[in-house]
Structure formats: C-alpha cells, structure tokens
C-alpha cells in the first residue's frame, strides 16, 4: 500500500474472541480500472455504533487511514490505495488490514468473495498453529497478504472473523431476506467511503486519470473499428 508499513503499527493483542455478529464493514474501490495505469484505489472500514470517545483510534488505524470521521451512528476510516497498477482485490485487502488494525475483536462484513475466501484461509492457517505464510510474497498481492497475516497474528486469530454480505443490494433483495437492513446500510456506507477515498486525497490527479481512461477507451474502439473494416 505504498507509504504503509503495518509492522510499525501492528494491532495490540486481543484476548476477546470475535463477536458473533458483524461489528465493522469493509470495502475496496477501484476507479478507472481500464487501462490499469489510470486506476485509482480506495479502502474503507465503517464501524457502526463506535465512538472515538470510548474506542480511540488505534496506532495501526492512525498510521494506515488518511480520513477519519466520527458520525452520529459510528466511525468511518478510509484511505487511498497507492499505485496505478492496482486491482479491486488489493483495495479489499487494504480495507481488511485497516479493520483489523482497529481496537478490540473484529467481525468483518465484506462483499468480496475473493477476499473472504483467502482471508478465511489465512486465519484458519494461523489458528492451526502453522508457521507464517512465507510464500505469500510471491503470490498476487502477496505484499498486502503478508501484511494482513502479520496483523491477524498480532491481534490473535481468535479475535478475527468474516461474513459475506451482498454487494449492491436492492429493495427487492431486502424484501426477500437476501440481506438485512443493517448489512445493507453498513456495506453501502463502506462502499461510498472507499470510492471517495480513491479521489479525495488526489483532487488534481483524479480528473486527469478519468480523462485519460476515456481517451484510451475511445482509441481502443477506434482501432477495433479500423480492424473490422480491414477484415471486411
């Protein structure tokens, strides 16, 4: 994640087990994903019912997050994800690290199945007493997965849990019971904050990347039409 070194702000050990229900919602966002060099990433963690009076910012949160906001119904932490060769998965991992860096046990609600599956595997690996995932560094996004693994070990694998929530849910999904109102609100807030974080700290760069992405798309379509004419 560029400027972030989670080793300098690892979460404190937590004796409590992860709560049975979600207490923090995370999301990652990737804007202008094509071409990849125009992409801008953002990550967010939304803590409903948390107050900074009772649960102050942990050192890891304070180091990783760029934006903090105490709202009437909770606390929002978010950060841009540096690098112009990013991916939505990298943004999701960054959001997970941000949540785990917070105070106390965490039960993360995420709409990313890719993140959920690997994060659950890492936590299960640690709970089994196995050695660190040294091979993570050579995998896709291995730098962030290694940071994630160290954060989980520091807090304690027993204090971390995950639940999948539906992405981009509708009123119909809510009526059919595919998602609860709390999960829908939490996921939507994290999603909005991640998108905002992707651009808020780079006000001049964001519109430039958007224009470059549009020009590249126009050029790709032009080349495709020319190729079609040649074939015909």
């Amino acid at each position: 994640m560029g400027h972030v070194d989670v080793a300098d702000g690892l979460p404190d050990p937590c004796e409590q087990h992860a709560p049975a229900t979600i207490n923090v919602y995370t999301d990652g966002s990737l804007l202008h994903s094509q071409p990849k060099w125009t992409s801008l990433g953002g990550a967010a963690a939304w803590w409903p019912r948390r107050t900074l009076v009772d649960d102050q910012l942990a050192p890891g949160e304070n180091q990783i997050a760029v934006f903090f906001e105490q709202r009437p119904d909770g606390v929002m932490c978010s950060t841009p994800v540096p690098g112009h060769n990013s991916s939505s998965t990298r943004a999701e991992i960054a959001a997970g690290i941000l949540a785990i860096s917070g105070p106390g046990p965490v039960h993360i609600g995420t709409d990313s199945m890719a993140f959920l599956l690997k994060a659950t595997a890492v936590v299960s690996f640690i709970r089994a007493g196995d050695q660190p995932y040294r091979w993570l560094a050579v995998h896709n996004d291995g730098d962030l997965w290694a940071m994630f693994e160290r954060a989980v070990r520091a807090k304690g694998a027993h204090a971390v849990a995950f639940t999948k929530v539906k992405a981009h849910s509708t009123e119909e999904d809510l009526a059919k019971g595919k998602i609860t109102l709390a999960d829908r609100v939490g996921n939507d807030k994290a999603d909005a904050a991640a998108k905002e974080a992707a651009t808020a700290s780079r006000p001049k760069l964001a519109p430039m990347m958007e224009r470059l992405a549009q020009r590249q798309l126009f050029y790709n379509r032009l080349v495709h039409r020319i190729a079609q004419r040649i074939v015909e």
Side-chain angles (χ1 to χ4, degrees):
M1 281 159 44
H3 64 287
V4 175
D5 183 0
V6 76
D8 294 334
L10 289 171
D12 292 330
C14 179
E15 295 182 358
Q16 298 171 279
H17 284 260
T21 57
I22 296 169
N23 66 343
V24 56
Y25 294 88
T26 65
D27 207 356
S29 177
L30 188 71
L31 306 180
H32 322 310
S33 59
Q34 294 298 327
K36 292 197 71 173
W37 53 268
T38 65
S39 63
L40 296 171
W46 164 245
W47 299 81
R49 300 177 299 280
R50 176 183 172 185
T51 68
L52 293 178
V53 173
D54 297 325
D55 292 309
Q56 296 180 357
L57 291 175
E61 284 181 301
N62 205 22
Q63 182 175 348
I64 296 172
V66 173
F67 306 106
F68 308 98
E69 183 183 2
Q70 174 69 73
R71 299 181 182 179
D73 53 346
V75 172
M76 183 66 76
C77 302
S78 61
T79 184
V81 180
H84 299 299
N85 193 27
S86 192
S87 68
S88 58
T89 301
R90 287 186 69 80
E92 296 285 356
I93 303 167
I97 295 170
L98 178 57
I100 293 171
S101 298
V106 295
H107 187 146
I108 296 173
T110 174
D111 63 11
S112 170
M113 183 60 74
F115 167 73
L116 176 74
L117 291 175
K118 197 157 188 176
T120 301
V122 171
V123 171
S124 298
F125 188 87
I126 297 172
R127 287 177 179 173
D130 293 324
Q131 292 302 308
Y133 262 177
R134 299 192 184 280
W135 53 265
L136 279 175
V138 298
H139 276 231
N140 287 340
D141 308 315
D143 56 334
L144 291 189
W145 279 119
M147 293 169 65
F148 176 88
E149 185 252 356
R150 289 186 327 205
V152 172
R153 285 186 182 275
K155 183 179 285 288
H158 60 277
V160 181
F162 308 92
T163 292
K164 173 72 168 62
V165 297
K166 186 172 178 55
H168 310 298
S169 58
T170 63
E171 289 292 335
E172 183 179 358
D173 294 326
L174 188 62
K176 290 182 177 180
K178 294 183 178 180
I179 190 170
T180 66
L181 179 59
D183 288 349
R184 184 185 184 194
V185 171
N187 182 248
D188 286 350
K189 287 189 175 185
D191 177 67
K195 286 183 172 65
E196 184 177 358
T199 60
S201 66
R202 299 169 277 198
K204 294 183 178 179
L205 181 62
M208 182 187 304
M209 291 298 102
E210 182 177 6
R211 288 195 297 272
L212 287 173
Q214 291 172 347
R215 290 181 64 179
Q216 184 67 47
L217 178 61
F218 172 80
Y219 177 74
N220 290 348
R221 289 173 175 170
L222 175 63
V223 171
H224 179 69
R225 289 196 298 269
I226 293 173
Q228 282 186 316
R229 290 292 182 89
I230 293 173
V231 171
E232 292 172 355

